[in-house]
Amino acid sequence: IHDPELRKMLYLSTADLRFADYLVKHVTENKEDVFLDGTGWEGGDEWIRAQFGLYVHSLLSSALQQ
């Protein structure tokens, strides 16, 4: 990205990086599958979709408060 203003806006925040790290750790961990009611097993497709849903809702909520 050549435009410095656009590049600055597209940098991931600390919260974004923590969220990505949280997802990667849960998906790559070798542990017993924990079946969660309504979201499949922790680290599975349904779980990841639920996590992204929570992330997007939090993002929209914080954007509306500013």
Side-chain angles (χ1 to χ4, degrees):
I1 300 172
H2 300 291
D3 182 11
E5 280 298 311
L6 180 59
R7 187 178 324 136
K8 199 178 345 178
M9 288 189 292
L10 293 176
Y11 276 135
L12 294 176
S13 69
T14 303
D16 296 328
L17 294 171
R18 276 192 210 125
F19 173 71
D21 188 48
Y22 174 76
L23 288 180
V24 170
K25 281 183 182 178
H26 274 75
V27 171
T28 58
E29 258 182 4
N30 284 335
K31 64 177 184 176
E32 250 183 69
D33 291 343
V34 177
F35 188 80
L36 303 172
D37 189 34
T39 58
W41 56 275
E42 191 171 348
D45 290 345
E46 295 88 5
W47 181 84
I48 293 173
R49 286 187 191 102
Q51 297 305 309
F52 271 107
L54 179 62
Y55 176 78
V56 169
H57 285 141
S58 298
L59 177 66
L60 292 174
S61 175
S62 66
L64 289 174
Q65 290 178 3
Q66 293 182 356

